[in-house]
Amino acid sequence: MNFKLETNHNIVFFTGAGMSAESGVPTYRGSGGIWNEYKWEEYACESAFQKNPNHVLSFHELRRIEALKCKPHSGHLIIKKIQDKYQNTTIITQNIDGMHQRADNQNVIELHGSLWKIRCQADGKKFEDLENGPYANRYCDCGEILRPDIVWFQDMLDEKIIKKTISTISRCLLFISIGTSASVWPAAGFPKLARESGAYCIEINPEKTELSSMYDEVIREKAGKGLELFLRGLLS
Ligand code: OAD
């Protein structure tokens, strides 16, 4: 990096499914990707839920069970270490598995919601749902069936979360993207926002992505090793 980072500077880690891959959580695209095995039209959209709620809920139930079998890896712990020193560090994640929180990472913005929250589509009420299921047959006081608080295909992102994300990224000096294919909008636009706002941008990903050429620095490694190299650079 060609600048000295002060402990009060703003840092953003922008994470996607590749961040959780070394924990054992499958990614969405590429080999072993969830959307190769499951059609999102049947499992991850409001119309599928309206048609057959139990079908959709059991898919998410399975994802919770699988996520609970996984543990944070060394990369999550490195983020924690960095956050202990640089307190204005925010994690903006597309992941819904709660792995950052389990690693005690702080200031986590969940862009796409969480497997561990449920909400009412009718009145917008949200509930923490930290127990491992069952999702099925749970109703809001208003009578509506509760659904996972996840941004499914064709859903809008929460406006407050978008605003907070944009303002955090616009103010950051260092932006590190880890393990995202940058193919889902609006999240795919955030690295460019960081760049246009003047942040130094780093990509950690073993594969090239659509956005690789816009980064100041690319670390072609998996998240754990990539973060280890990044930390070494930060401390040198
Ligand atoms: P993708 O599955 O689209 O992309 C995963 C990225 O992680 C790819 O670029 C891989 O090269 C990279 N990768 C794989 N293993 C890695 C590792 N060990 N370390 C670092 N990188 C690795 O996942 P996302 O970009 O997160 O939406 O997908 C975005 C959204 O699409 C998800 O949030 C999800 C999905 O539909 C919701 O759940 C709402």
Side-chain angles (χ1 to χ4, degrees), residues 22-87:
E22 280 158 275
S23 293
V25 182
T27 59
Y28 293 96
R29 299 168 186 83
S31 87
I34 288 176
W35 302 142
N36 301 335
E37 195 180 337
Y38 296 92
K39 275 190 173 172
W40 67 258
E41 293 88 340
E42 288 174 23
Y43 295 97
C45 62
E46 179 64 24
S47 54
F49 182 63
Q50 293 300 335
K51 217 186 294 168
N52 192 343
N54 286 339
H55 186 62
V56 171
L57 292 175
S58 56
F59 166 71
H60 288 86
E61 198 64 60
L62 186 66
R63 298 201 56 201
R64 290 220 280 206
I65 291 167
E66 292 304 321
L68 278 184
K69 286 185 197 156
C70 302
K71 288 196 179 85
H73 61 78
S74 63
H76 292 100
L77 306 184
I78 289 175
I79 291 180
K80 161 130 182 68
K81 201 166 166 182
I82 292 170
Q83 208 161 31
D84 286 345
K85 179 162 178 196
Y86 299 92
Q87 299 199 344

Side-chain angles (χ1 to χ4, degrees), residues 16-19 21-22 27-29 35 94-96 112 150-151 153 178-184 204-207 209 221-223:
M19 180 71 210
E22 280 158 275
T27 59
Y28 293 96
R29 299 168 186 83
W35 302 142
Q94 296 166 82
N95 298 342
I96 56 174
H112 291 165
I150 290 170
V151 180
F153 287 89
I178 309 170
T180 176
S181 61
S183 55
V184 170
I204 300 177
N205 196 317
E207 307 280 335
T209 69
E221 296 285 352
K222 292 183 174 176

